Amino acid sequence: MLRPNLRELLSERFALDDDEFTKAVLDGLSRPQKSLPCRFFYDARGSELFEEITRLPEYYPTRTETAILEAHAAEMAGGASAGGVLVELGSGSSLKTEILPEQLPQSCAYVPIDVSRAALAGATRRLAARFPRLDVRPIVADFARPIAFPADLAERPKTGFFPGSTIGNLTPIEAGRLLGVLRTTLSPGGRLIVGVDLKKDTRKLVLAYNDAAGVTAAFNLNLLARINREIGGTFDPEGFRHKAIYNPRDGRIEMHLVSRRKQDVKIGSRRFRFRAGETIHTENSYKYSVRQFQDLARSSGWVPRHVWRDKGDLFSVHELVAR
């Protein structure tokens, strides 16, 4: 799932005008395999539900990555140069970032990058209060495109921070492209600290996306309620059920909404027919072995240097250096 990097004020971060939202929904539901982009999960209710998910016993990624960061922050920050720049990508509320500045040289600057002005403003205020000597320079931008840094920071060595395994929501091809863009953004002298969920026992993976309390199911089904409310859909949420499966061929968790019966749904003048058992594909979460991710990084111009894992080999945090 998207990182809790994408949780506070996610409704703003992915706020779309009605025409854009409608176009994306109509396009996705018109495909042979009906689908909806996972970013649409995060209206106000979806963001609340995701916060609940991160605290569930079955959902290991958030707490496991946080523990890795807390245990190894000194090593991760140790590669940052004095006078360098820590760049958080998709910073949101920047809660995990608070672990790293304590270990940084005082001469470092911190640059959170996000498309949400409100999220950046909140993060800047909180970090300035906790680290009054930290030079915080927020940038409102889409980090999937090359970033223009302030002139006095442009040539300083940069360490990117991309936690949360958000990269797993991209296909390997898309992830490779993003890594290539980040290499350009962080050069010259770039480093990247990135969280990556690991391949593991299938049962544990599936349970993380199909909790006993049904919170993830509510999170998935809330997408239909959002379509009804914002663009006039006629989905009956009771007519669909949540399904999370592991696709071993592609190495990914898939989330779907499964039609319980034959039914029609209208959005404006468009009608969509569902067979009993037909699904809407709502999210992918790719899992990697350490070697697979390092190979992907190499193909995008990075040299893997270190990898930190928990004792259970559930999650990994990688240090990459620009070639």
Side-chain angles (χ1 to χ4, degrees), residues 49-117:
L49 288 167
F50 186 70
E51 285 298 322
E52 290 185 41
I53 289 170
T54 65
R55 297 189 291 268
L56 292 169
E58 297 96 335
Y59 193 74
Y60 61 85
T62 301
R63 63 175 177 271
T64 306
E65 182 183 34
T66 300
I68 293 171
L69 294 173
E70 289 174 340
H72 301 286
E75 296 172 67
M76 295 176 189
S81 302
V85 182
L86 175 65
V87 181
E88 187 174 6
L89 304 154
S91 62
S93 59
S94 301
L95 297 175
K96 288 179 182 174
T97 312
E98 294 186 17
I99 299 170
L100 296 186
E102 292 180 326
Q103 308 294 333
L104 290 173
Q106 290 187 1
S107 57
C108 283
Y110 166 62
V111 177
I113 299 175
D114 203 291
V115 298
S116 169
R117 289 184 182 275

Side-chain angles (χ1 to χ4, degrees), residues 41 45-46 49 52-53 211 213-225 242 257:
F41 281 138
R45 179 57 179 155
L49 288 167
E52 290 185 41
I53 289 170
D211 59 279
V215 181
T216 308
F219 175 73
N220 202 6
L221 288 161
N222 181 66
L223 183 54
L224 304 184
H242 165 72
L257 291 167

Side-chain angles (χ1 to χ4, degrees), residues 235-275:
F235 279 102
D236 174 14
E238 296 296 323
F240 291 80
R241 63 179 176 84
H242 165 72
K243 181 180 181 181
I245 61 170
Y246 182 65
N247 178 336
R249 183 191 65 185
D250 294 325
R252 70 189 189 195
I253 284 284
E254 296 178 6
M255 291 208 326
H256 295 259
L257 291 167
V258 185
S259 180
R260 295 181 182 273
R261 61 179 185 270
K262 182 179 178 181
Q263 57 185 306
D264 288 356
V265 174
K266 289 188 67 178
I267 299 175
S269 62
R270 296 283 297 277
R271 184 183 299 272
F272 299 93
R273 294 184 174 179
F274 289 84
R275 306 181 305 274

